[in-house]
Amino acid sequence: MSQHVTQWIQAYLDGELHGQRLREIEAHLRGCADCQQEAASLRELSVLLQSVPRPAPHAAPERFAAQIGLRLPRTPEQSAWQRTTRRAWQAAPVGIIATWAFLQAALFTVGLLQSLGLAQVLAAPGPGYSAWTGTSGALGMLGSSLWELIRQGAPWLELGEPLLGLLGLELGITLLAAIGLWAWLASWWTLRRRELQTIEHQVIAP
Amino acid sequence: MTNTAAGPLPAENDLIDAARRGDRQAYGELVRRHCDGTINVVYRMCGDPDLAEEAAQEAFLRAWQSLGRYNPRFPFRNWVYRIAINAALDALRRQPQQVDLDDLPLHASNGEPEKVFEERERAEQVRKALRKLPAHTRAVLVLREYEDLSYKEIAAMLEIPIGTVMSRLNYARNQLRQSLAAYVEAR
């Protein structure tokens, strides 16, 4: 290699070259006085930079960490995903209760309409038509569709009277909602306990 | 992190997980492990020991607040260094440099007066030459020369291509050789 390798000398001195390139540069440096001088000059610069000592810390690491500890906000900032998850978790009990209430209302209305005769209530608007019949009709339709879906998935519900099946379904939904709420309360209690332990430990720790 | 009183030192990833959950003691341990290097990086960036310590504290406060955004695939140290470099640049923008030469650290403070003077003068010239470099070029040089980071680590930390790391280093060293010609050739 006759051409100078100036552009590779810094990478060579920084230990960033490997394989064939490294061997080429080493071979060139052995026979080229100019490149040897360039390398020597760069080494001198590095030694000069290193000769300026690092600052003696004003505070020992323990003290430095303690000073920062005093200035830290209570909790680190959370990522967008963490914030969303936390909000969803906080809203979970409201969601469970709202879903439970909606399903109960829909199933109650379907039961009521079944006992009154669904077709009669949902007849075209006439003199007896009101906002109540419209709303309850829509809710009843929704509940009825839901009931149909569930009945296809769980035909055993129809073993007894349809109304008893509805009652069982309502009880089942209530039970599921109660389990959901209980699980949420249990996780809340566990998290709260862990937080308290952390705070207690931080207060006690020197 | 509730069990750091005795036994082997906790793994860094465990400390980071605990700190993310709000454990200040775990974060304190992380600070203790990395404060020395962080102060050094900031000092080399701004050349002022007082400013360096202040900016390093600021960097650790920012790091605590941004822990949710920390990517564990990269070393925690490099992530803190990156924040520290930004904190150093902010500190320099806020406070123009006025360093008392007596504040500069020395190797041979108990030596002969002439030697002490020479060393102090050399340190001041190096500091001035570093300060003349563009901030982003200086950051690359500091991470390479004083923290011994590889080109790949610097590139990942500053989110720049390796080619840019090489060109900035090349520029910085050539500039420094010109600024410090008397010292480089006299040694």
Side-chain angles (χ1 to χ4, degrees):
Chain A
M1 188 188 294
S2 58
Q3 281 187 324
H4 292 313
V5 291
T6 321
Q7 75 273 26
W8 292 109
I9 291 178
Q10 292 196 23
Y12 166 72
L13 293 175
D14 287 332
E16 295 280 342
L17 297 184
H18 308 280
Q20 179 65 20
R21 176 79 67 191
L22 176 64
R23 286 191 289 276
E24 282 173 10
I25 303 300
E26 281 174 338
H28 179 87
L29 277 171
R30 277 195 291 273
C32 177
D34 288 345
C35 286
Q36 281 175 15
Q37 198 176 355
E38 171 75 4
S41 165
L42 284 165
R43 280 197 195 98
E44 279 182 15
L45 175 69
S46 190
V47 170
L48 174 66
L49 293 174
Q50 300 293 334
S51 75
V52 178
R54 58 198 300 159
H58 287 192
E62 295 292 331
R63 196 175 160 82
F64 183 83
Q67 285 170 347
I68 288 171
L70 291 173
R71 294 174 62 189
L72 287 183
R74 191 156 178 263
T75 52
E77 190 179 289
Q78 294 178 318
S79 67
W81 169 247
Q82 284 174 317
R83 281 197 301 272
T84 309
T85 313
R86 190 170 179 86
R87 278 184 198 141
W89 183 81
Q90 283 168 341
V94 178
I96 291 171
I97 292 169
T99 310
W100 172 82
F102 174 76
L103 290 174
Q104 289 294 326
L107 290 173
F108 174 77
T109 313
V110 104
L112 193 68
L113 292 181
Q114 272 182 357
S115 60
L116 292 175
L118 184 64
Q120 193 185 342
V121 176
L122 294 180
Y129 190 83
S130 68
W132 185 86
T133 51
T135 310
S136 59
L139 202 56
M141 289 274 280
L142 201 69
S144 180
S145 309
L146 183 71
W147 171 240
E148 274 303 315
L149 267 175
I150 292 167
R151 215 168 48 170
Q152 280 173 16
W156 50 266
L157 281 170
E158 280 242 281
L159 284 178
E161 287 291 317
L163 281 177
L164 280 178
L166 271 177
L167 191 65
L169 193 60
E170 283 177 15
L171 283 173
I173 289 167
T174 305
L175 189 66
L176 278 178
I179 290 171
L181 282 174
W182 181 85
W184 185 87
L185 272 172
S187 65
W188 174 83
W189 185 77
T190 310
L191 283 174
R192 180 78 190 137
R193 203 170 152 213
R194 194 194 290 171
E195 273 178 19
L196 285 174
Q197 277 176 346
T198 304
I199 291 167
E200 189 184 338
H201 178 71
Q202 284 167 357
V203 170
I204 292 169
Chain B
M1 186 56 46
T2 54
N3 191 20
T4 56
L9 286 173
E12 186 151 291
N13 284 343
D14 294 339
L15 290 171
I16 294 165
D17 286 344
R20 282 174 134 170
R21 291 194 301 269
D23 187 334
R24 298 151 75 97
Q25 203 190 8
Y27 190 66
E29 177 58 29
L30 286 169
V31 172
R32 275 188 287 278
R33 287 185 188 186
H34 297 291
C35 67
D36 207 26
T38 306
I39 292 172
N40 189 37
V41 165
V42 181
Y43 171 68
R44 303 299 184 183
M45 282 296 292
C46 61
D48 179 337
D50 293 327
L51 201 59
E53 197 144 321
E54 201 180 302
Q57 284 202 8
E58 175 65 27
F60 279 112
L61 290 173
R62 287 186 197 177
W64 166 261
Q65 295 210 290
S66 310
L67 269 175
R69 292 196 290 275
Y70 166 65
N71 182 350
R73 283 191 300 138
F74 298 102
F76 182 77
R77 177 193 67 160
N78 293 5
W79 183 67
V80 171
Y81 282 1
R82 183 185 173 165
I83 297 173
I85 285 171
N86 288 330
L89 295 177
D90 290 346
L92 283 174
R93 273 193 288 271
R94 282 195 306 268
Q95 188 175 329
Q97 285 249 291
Q98 287 179 337
V99 177
D100 186 343
L101 288 187
D102 292 337
D103 289 344
L104 294 174
L106 296 170
H107 276 315
S109 55
N110 56 351
E112 300 147 26
E114 293 85 8
K115 200 168 179 183
V116 171
F117 177 79
E118 270 177 32
E119 192 184 318
R120 190 165 282 169
E121 177 64 19
R122 193 175 65 224
E124 173 62 2
Q125 291 306 320
V126 170
R127 192 186 65 81
K128 275 186 179 166
L130 281 171
R131 280 297 312 281
K132 274 194 219 160
L133 295 173
H136 295 293
T137 305
R138 196 185 331 147
V140 172
L141 183 89
V142 164
L143 293 171
R144 174 62 224 155
E145 285 288 344
Y146 294 110
E147 289 302 314
D148 207 25
L149 263 59
S150 70
Y151 290 2
K152 198 176 166 185
E153 285 176 307
I154 297 170
M157 189 193 303
L158 302 179
E159 292 178 353
I160 52 176
I162 287 184
T164 307
V165 173
M166 292 175 75
S167 62
R168 284 185 187 173
L169 272 177
N170 188 47
Y171 176 80
R173 283 166 170 158
N174 286 338
Q175 287 296 111
L176 287 176
R177 277 194 292 180
Q178 283 177 23
S179 307
L180 302 167
Y183 294 100
V184 173
E185 284 166 10
R187 289 172 69 85

